[in-house]
Amino acid sequence: MREIGSDYNMSDSLYSGFVRDFGWRKSQVSASDMVLAVLALLQKDVWANELNMAHIKTSGFFAAYDALSQFSVLRMGIQGAQHLQQLVVGQGISMLERQAVKTLRVFRLAILGDLESTSSHIFGSPFALRQLALFLMQTLRERSKSAHARLPFIIAGPINNTESQDVDKLLVLGITPLDYPLIQPHINAPFNHSTYAGKSRNHFGLVFEQVAGEVGAEARQGFFDSSAMEIRRSDMSAFVDKLRRHL
């Protein structure tokens, strides 16, 4: 890759960093690969069946913990991360070809349907949905040099849970590009303005909460990532319309 990457405009495909050596018979693992493997293991219950790993009963959290010291578990996480990335690229290309990403005035919007693909349930988790959004953002940014290339991104997909009360809900995720300007100061919010300090911050957690309250949407923020929210499908249109006025 180092020798031929520049010929394909991929000179930055590899970068130096920390690596861990598990022994002379095993490959070195970079810090970035470790992160992706551990994150994939946290979502193990979502993709384990597709890689014939359902027989491994260790939960996602404990599998991720074991991967820090057990190479066999880490290798399983690496396989899971590769599988997730393949699904992300396949789903992303399909959405781009169908022009499923809509460009609005202040953000881009993509909503996955229930029958997007046979692996659509994968994107019912915040991690996989975020990976898909980042892929779409980066690809669209490379293809366009206009001002729209740096718009924030809103993506929504069916909830992974198949319980009856969750069938009619969407998982909504908001992502702010690193160079997106500060959120406009006209927002009347009951929180300190320092919450929005810094261009690299994700502003959508508090904005989602405020907008959902204003439109009376049935929503829930129960994830570690505050920029992820569950919302009822019937409230999505009003939620997006109100969100356009806040950004």
Side-chain angles (χ1 to χ4, degrees), residues 201-219:
R201 288 201 175 198
N202 191 323
H203 316 306
F204 284 106
L206 294 172
V207 176
F208 279 177
E209 182 179 1
Q210 181 183 355
V211 172
E214 290 183 2
V215 301
E218 183 179 337

Side-chain angles (χ1 to χ4, degrees), residues 90-152:
Q91 181 68 47
I93 291 175
S94 173
M95 294 177 69
L96 292 173
E97 290 177 343
R98 293 183 288 105
Q99 299 182 348
V101 180
K102 307 302 181 184
T103 301
L104 306 180
R105 185 176 63 86
V106 289
F107 60 83
R108 280 192 163 112
L109 174 69
I111 301 178
L112 281 72
D114 292 307
L115 302 176
E116 286 281 349
S117 68
T118 56
S119 301
S120 60
H121 65 283
I122 294 289
F123 301 104
S125 68
F127 170 63
L129 195 62
R130 176 176 295 276
Q131 293 296 98
L132 175 59
L134 290 173
F135 174 81
L136 292 170
M137 287 177 67
Q138 185 63 30
T139 304
L140 289 169
R141 185 166 179 167
E142 292 295 329
R143 292 171 54 178
S144 173
K145 302 302 180 183
S146 66
H148 292 147
R150 288 173 171 79
L151 289 178

Side-chain angles (χ1 to χ4, degrees), residues 130 153-155 172-176 202 204 208 225 227-228:
R130 176 176 295 276
F153 203 96
I154 309 293
I155 190 168
V172 184
L173 198 67
I175 300 178
T176 306
N202 191 323
F204 284 106
F208 279 177
D225 185 352
S227 63

